[in-house]
Amino acid sequence: GGSAMAAVRDVEIDPEGTFKYILVHLQRPGGGEQRDIVRGTKAAEFHNHIFEKVNPEMERLGYECKCLGGGKIEHNSKDKKIRVFGLSTGYGKADHSVTVEILKKEYTDYEITWSDDKK
């Protein structure tokens, strides 16, 4: 244990609101350690803005990043609900079911759903 991978959080999303998100695959060059992470924020006007922030951070930790697609997250912290939907024009649609499984690890007491709806 004690790897850099442990220092990388599975999920970093805004605490409230509706915003763009991306699903990112991390992997050590030459195989070995790999996992998927979720990143989303209202600060990002486009999905690639999120990737452009995440990618250098992860490269510094020694990971290769690949964006697996994107969508939107609607985060209602008051009702403890998260809805995953939509897609990214540039990266395509993330596998929202994978995103939901990752979100469930962080938001254990939430109701988390997904759909292929555009809005």
Side-chain angles (χ1 to χ4, degrees):
S3 67
M5 194 62 100
V8 178
R9 291 172 54 194
D10 287 323
V11 178
E12 282 182 20
I13 60 171
D14 286 1
E16 187 65 44
T18 303
F19 43 84
K20 293 184 167 66
Y21 94 88
I22 56 172
L23 186 61
V24 180
H25 184 70
L26 303 183
Q27 132 163 37
R28 286 277 184 221
E33 254 185 324
Q34 52 181 310
R35 67 189 252 227
D36 297 336
I37 60 171
V38 175
R39 295 291 184 269
T41 176
K42 275 198 282 259
E45 190 184 349
F46 299 106
H47 286 91
N48 62 308
H49 292 171
I50 308 172
F51 189 71
E52 282 161 14
K53 185 176 172 296
V54 173
N55 196 36
E57 287 175 14
M58 297 305 149
E59 283 184 341
R60 276 198 298 275
L61 293 170
Y63 296 108
E64 291 172 346
C65 290
K66 191 171 114 199
C67 184
L68 300 176
K72 284 187 169 176
I73 286 176
E74 182 181 63
H75 189 174
N76 182 335
S77 53
K78 186 169 67 71
D79 295 339
K80 296 199 167 179
K81 286 185 178 174
I82 292 176
R83 186 168 74 100
V84 184
F85 64 102
L87 53 84
S88 161
T89 315
Y91 295 121
K93 186 176 79 72
D95 185 338
H96 296 327
S97 63
V98 171
T99 302
V100 166
E101 289 311 308
I102 297 169
L103 289 168
K104 279 178 178 169
K105 289 194 271 186
E106 185 87 10
Y107 296 95
T108 49
D109 57 345
Y110 268 61
E111 180 191 322
I112 305 175
T113 58
W114 69 272
S115 77
D116 287 329
D117 297 344
K118 295 285 193 291
K119 44 164 85 67

